[in-house]
Amino acid sequence: MSATDPVVIVGAGPAGVSAARALVEAGHKPILIDEGMFPGGQIFRRAPAPLARSGKDTYGFEATRAHALGEHFAAILPSITYYPETLIWGIEPGTIHLARKDGALRQPWTRLIVAPGAMDRIVPVKGWTGPGVFTLGGAQIALKAQASLIGGEVVFVGSGPLLYLVAYQYARAGARVVAVLEHADPFRHVSSMAGLVAGGRILAKGLYYMAWLRAHGIVVETRAEPTEILRNRDGRVSGVRFLKGTRETTLTCDAVGIGYGLKSETQLADLLGVDFRFDRQHRQWLPKTDADGRSSVRGVYFAGDGLAIRGSEVAEMTGELAARALLADEASAHAPRVSGLRQRVARMDAFRRALDGVFPFPSRMASMSPDDTVICRCEGLTAGSLREAVTTSGECDINRIKAFTRLGMGRCQGRVCAPMAAELIAAQAAVDIAAVGRIRGQAPVKPVPLTSLARRTHDQL
Ligand SMILES: Cc1cc2nc3c(=O)[nH]c(=O)nc-3n(C[C@H](O)[C@H](O)[C@H](O)COP(=O)(O)OP(=O)(O)OC[C@H]3O[C@@H](n4cnc5c(N)ncnc54)[C@H](O)[C@@H]3O)c2cc1C
């Protein structure tokens, strides 16, 4: 490992940009790689110029932070090597495999800060695989990156803070939000109040979105469980059926946004061979690191939502912490003290734990999906076929079930279906969810255009 090789940062979201800033301040010239067109990650995603809306319209309360990230990025741009629209589809010791419009590339690495963020977590419901159904994040991407709505009359279904935020953003952008169907019962969790208060500004924003929706006559149902997304004869969405207790209700709409919180993107961590730990609250296997993001593999650090879902402010802090950990490990004269940063992250951890308690992942609902619900849409696998595979094989390891059924072998490589499948397998085999394990990461971690790979492979960016 040479201290003169540039540090490579995966992801130009709040965590990656913050890590790059800290490295630049210490005199480094890192390489920053992101598959997106612009820096900013998920929260500060933006549209190309002709579609751009005002910062206030796009980011609401976060407009100032979005602007600040843009300024910080512009300030460090001359001191970094930035590769947008560059997908990392594989990593092995010493080499990163990349795909761009102009071909495939290999980038050597000796030190890596991995900040690939998160993605939506869904619980499939009958009819979720047809057109007109988007994840909450997908619905937001349509709005932020394309200035478009997923429909004119939308029902938002799921659980967690993003549900209210996206419903609010859609209503402000001119959609008729028919209803917000929340699985949890957030107002029953008074005991979590002390932890929630640690969230300060973030809690206040969440409460504002909820109050705004109600004040504008938008129905917010709690303890609501969707049972089916209904369609017209032409296949378009016509409504949502849901249960609240024993009462079944049907709502009319032309699009559905669905999401039950977020899950960390961990495939690259898997390919890097770092140790993982099972996080009971997120019900997910996550990279195991120390408080500053050092992994079990020398030279590999993690930050942001790719390490654990804690929001964009913590992502910034952990990006800086990871960079400082790297500097400290190189005994850099610039390695500054980090105790204040660690304390701020710990404070926000208390908030996130309380929030996860208020909006727990609906594991019971996930494990009770009717037999004919599609779980793995790439391979067309239903809940019933997975249950049958568990029963007939007597296996509960998700990789064994994958071998029997092709679960997670399609385009998404299990990124969408694996959390749901794990719940089903655990329930069917009557084992703890941790015993199911995680689908082993395989390259390519995301779909790669064959035209990129067919072009000449260059050896370095
Ligand atoms: C879809 C979505 C929408 C969200 N919207 C909001 C919101 O409106 N408000 C809010 O407060 N929070 C939102 N969140 C949560 C918030 O985005 C995160 O908490 C925060 O952005 C985390 O920052 P990060 O830098 O860790 O990750 P991100 O912001 O997710 O950045 C990660 C970056 O890594 C890049 N990347 C990932 N994998 C690869 C790869 N293989 N190759 C190349 N590049 C890669 C991505 O393109 C992305 O730019 C959203 C999350 C998601 C998933």
Side-chain angles (χ1 to χ4, degrees):
M1 182 179 303
S2 157
T4 55
D5 292 335
V7 176
V8 179
I9 303 172
V10 177
V17 170
S18 163
R21 274 184 82 199
L23 291 175
V24 167
E25 274 169 23
H28 282 246
K29 189 173 171 49
I31 295 174
L32 181 58
I33 304 173
D34 197 297
E35 64 179 315
M37 209 182 279
F38 304 108
Q42 301 292 3
I43 179 169
F44 302 131
R45 186 181 284 276
R46 57 176 139 121
L51 297 174
R53 298 154 72 220
S54 77
K56 187 85 189 127
D57 282 345
T58 311
Y59 308 114
F61 291 121
E62 302 301 334
T64 310
R65 287 185 62 225
H67 182 72
L69 184 135
E71 302 253 287
H72 292 150
F73 186 78
I76 60 168
L77 190 54
S79 312
I80 66 173
T81 311
Y82 172 49
Y83 294 104
E85 297 186 88
T86 306
L87 171 72
I88 298 174
W89 61 268
I91 297 191
E92 54 188 308
T95 307
I96 302 177
H97 296 279
L98 304 158
R100 286 156 50 123
K101 280 190 201 128
D102 57 353
L105 302 128
R106 280 191 290 259
Q107 170 64 43
W109 68 272
T110 51
R111 292 154 309 156
L112 206 55
I113 296 180
V114 186
M119 63 179 282
D120 291 276
R121 191 168 182 165
I122 56 149
V123 175
V125 54
K126 196 170 176 190
W128 73 284
T129 52
V133 182
F134 291 71
T135 61
L136 293 177
Q140 213 191 33
I141 288 169
L143 192 56
K144 283 185 187 168
Q146 288 151 13
S148 307
L149 301 171
I150 61 169
E153 302 199 331
V154 190
V155 173
F156 290 101
V157 178
S159 189
L162 202 55
L163 182 65
Y164 303 93
L165 171 61
V166 180
Y168 165 81
Q169 289 172 327
Y170 261 64
R172 296 282 312 233
R176 187 168 91 78
V177 176
V178 178
V180 175
L181 305 181
E182 162 67 69
H183 184 270
D185 192 359
F187 300 106
R188 282 190 55 200
H189 291 265
V190 183
S191 57
S192 306
M193 216 47 215
L196 289 176
V197 166
R201 198 178 77 91
I202 302 176
L203 174 66
K205 277 186 302 178
L207 293 173
Y208 174 83
Y209 300 136
M210 287 178 174
W212 189 95
L213 291 168
R214 287 189 194 273
H216 287 76
I218 294 168
V219 175
V220 179
E221 291 279 10
T222 56
R223 291 180 292 125
E225 212 167 292
T227 51
E228 185 170 359
I229 292 161
L230 306 167
R231 294 182 180 281
N232 290 321
R233 274 216 210 116
D234 64 2
R236 288 169 195 247
V237 169
S238 62
V240 175
R241 193 171 287 147
F242 72 98
L243 273 177
K244 180 161 177 163
T246 52
R247 182 168 53 89
E248 191 170 66
T249 306
T250 301
L251 299 170
T252 303
C253 63
D254 61 11
V256 177
I258 186 164
Y260 293 82
L262 301 175
K263 67 179 266 289
S264 302
E265 291 274 36
T266 57
Q267 318 83 259
L268 295 176
D270 223 342
L271 297 186
L272 283 161
V274 302
D275 289 347
F276 273 67
R277 68 183 173 88
F278 187 71
D279 185 294
R280 294 233 152 250
Q281 208 154 9
H282 289 120
R283 297 177 81 78
Q284 195 194 348
W285 289 89
L286 297 171
K288 190 171 168 183
T289 67
D290 70 3
D292 298 343
R294 277 182 198 87
S295 77
S296 58
V297 172
R298 190 163 168 236
V300 177
Y301 305 79
F302 287 86
D305 274 3
L307 175 55
I309 307 296
R310 290 180 289 188
S312 62
E313 294 184 16
V314 174
E316 277 179 21
M317 295 175 209
T318 53
E320 187 177 343
L321 270 177
R324 290 182 178 197
L326 186 149
L327 294 170
D329 291 348
E330 291 180 351
S332 161
H334 293 278
R337 297 161 72 89
V338 291
S339 52
L341 254 182
R342 281 191 199 133
Q343 277 165 12
R344 282 164 59 207
V345 172
R347 251 199 318 277
M348 292 305 286
D349 270 348
F351 167 64
R352 280 285 151 182
R353 272 196 301 277
L355 201 61
D356 290 341
V358 173
F359 299 107
F361 181 69
S363 49
R364 189 199 57 81
M365 176 179 148
S367 64
M368 306 257 298
S369 278
D371 275 347
D372 60 352
T373 308
V374 173
I375 304 298
C376 168
R377 66 178 167 182
C378 304
E379 298 290 334
L381 279 176
T382 60
S385 55
L386 283 177
R387 289 193 178 104
E388 193 185 326
V390 173
T391 306
T392 52
S393 69
E395 299 279 354
C396 69
D397 180 308
I398 196 164
N399 290 296
R400 299 289 295 148
I401 301 299
K402 173 180 171 181
F404 299 137
T405 61
R406 296 190 54 81
L407 167 74
M409 284 198 195
R411 280 169 63 91
C412 93
Q413 291 283 293
R415 289 168 65 231
V416 177
C417 59
M420 168 73 178
E423 300 288 351
L424 268 167
I425 295 168
Q428 186 68 9
V431 297
D432 185 277
I433 178 98
V436 172
R438 64 181 199 281
I439 286 195
R440 271 190 293 277
Q442 304 280 351
V445 296
K446 291 185 185 176
V448 189
L450 282 175
T451 47
S452 302
L453 297 183
R455 293 199 180 106
R456 198 167 67 85
T457 297
H458 307 272
D459 265 335
Q460 202 156 345
L461 279 169

